[in-house]
Amino acid sequence: MYQALVQQKVARGYAKAALRLGATTTQYRPVSLTAPMETVHATFLAAFNNDRKFGFDGPALWDRPAVFGLFDTTDVQSGDLLTCAGENYFVARLEPFRPPLCMLCNRVVSIAGQPGQGSTNGDGAVCTDVGASDDYSTAGDVTDQTVLASGWPAFIQIKNKGNAVGDGIPGSIKAADYEMFLPLIPDFVPAIQMAVTTDLGTTYTISAVEPSQYGNRCLMGVRQV
């Protein structure tokens, strides 16, 4: 059998299972950097579980946001955003014959930087080191940073307990590193020294970015004044 035909049957099987186990889910396919969840793409029934065999014998763990989705995958692609039962998810990976890998999000973020920074379409791109930060994550002169993307669901967690920063003098401030998982964003990749502000008002400075077909993984530090 052709792979596409087998995948079609698998997708239908997931849809039938979701009719029994799923909850109403809204799907978004972002086209805007500043309003990714403005227009509904589709609605369907879906269930999520941390077990790819869908045993439903436990919830998603606090520090492990990767879960598997049980829903009709006929019109689903990496980067799609989903809301289900008050939770936000983004689709990270979709492969034939396998349940889609989704990331459970705990924050909604906006990203600020120099105008044109992060653009992947060649429109107004600038040096990614503009506004370079010092070791205290103050990000240097940020007076001309502007919001480049907003309203994006993300997962943020503490990466480690804390690192000495600054000149290493005893008593200098220690700040934890944070890890952020972002979905694929159209024509945009976060860059170092960008500012990330959450719906709680906390602002971080990006120190490293790992873009991939799954989305964007970033290391950050809390921006200190």
Side-chain angles (χ1 to χ4, degrees):
M1 299 180 72
Y2 293 107
Q3 184 183 88
L5 179 58
V6 175
Q7 177 58 33
Q8 184 182 55
K9 292 181 180 294
V10 170
R12 288 176 179 174
Y14 288 157
K16 288 181 179 179
L19 287 175
R20 300 282 185 176
L21 302 172
T24 300
T25 300
T26 305
Q27 176 191 17
Y28 304 89
R29 184 158 295 165
V31 295
S32 168
L33 290 179
T34 56
M37 304 176 77
E38 182 177 48
T39 303
V40 174
H41 182 74
T43 57
F44 47 73
L45 295 176
F48 299 88
N49 193 55
N50 62 357
D51 174 13
R52 62 183 178 275
K53 295 182 179 179
F54 298 103
F56 295 100
D57 56 355
L61 300 181
W62 190 341
D63 60 343
R64 297 181 182 178
V67 295
F68 299 93
L70 183 65
F71 49 80
D72 186 350
T73 56
T74 301
D75 184 21
V76 175
Q77 63 186 36
S78 296
D80 283 355
L81 309 179
L82 309 173
T83 60
C84 178
E87 303 277 14
N88 290 327
Y89 302 82
F90 69 83
V91 179
R93 183 75 170 175
L94 190 64
E95 297 180 356
F97 324 136
R98 302 170 181 87
L101 175 66
C102 302
M103 300 296 287
L104 174 61
C105 301
N106 58 5
R107 295 271 62 88
V108 176
V109 303
S110 63
I111 303 172
Q114 308 301 321
Q117 192 178 21
S119 172
T120 61
N121 61 12
D123 182 16
V126 299
C127 173
T128 56
D129 288 330
V130 172
S133 165
D134 58 31
D135 289 338
Y136 289 96
S137 297
T138 56
D141 183 7
V142 297
T143 55
D144 58 347
Q145 280 192 327
T146 58
V147 174
L148 304 174
S150 60
W152 288 90
F155 177 78
I156 299 175
Q157 66 179 349
I158 295 175
K159 184 65 175 176
N160 59 46
K161 294 182 179 179
N163 290 319
V165 298
D167 53 18
I169 296 175
S172 45
I173 300 172
K174 290 186 177 182
D177 289 329
Y178 290 81
E179 184 177 45
M180 177 175 66
F181 293 93
L182 271 174
L184 291 172
I185 301 177
D187 300 321
F188 181 85
V189 175
I192 60 171
Q193 313 309 338
M194 284 185 176
V196 175
T197 302
T198 73
D199 50 321
L200 297 178
T202 306
T203 299
Y204 304 87
T205 299
I206 296 177
S207 58
V209 180
E210 182 187 86
S212 73
Q213 69 272 34
Y214 299 99
N216 300 284
R217 182 167 66 170
C218 305
L219 289 181
M220 312 183 298
V222 174
R223 179 165 293 190
Q224 303 180 41
V225 179

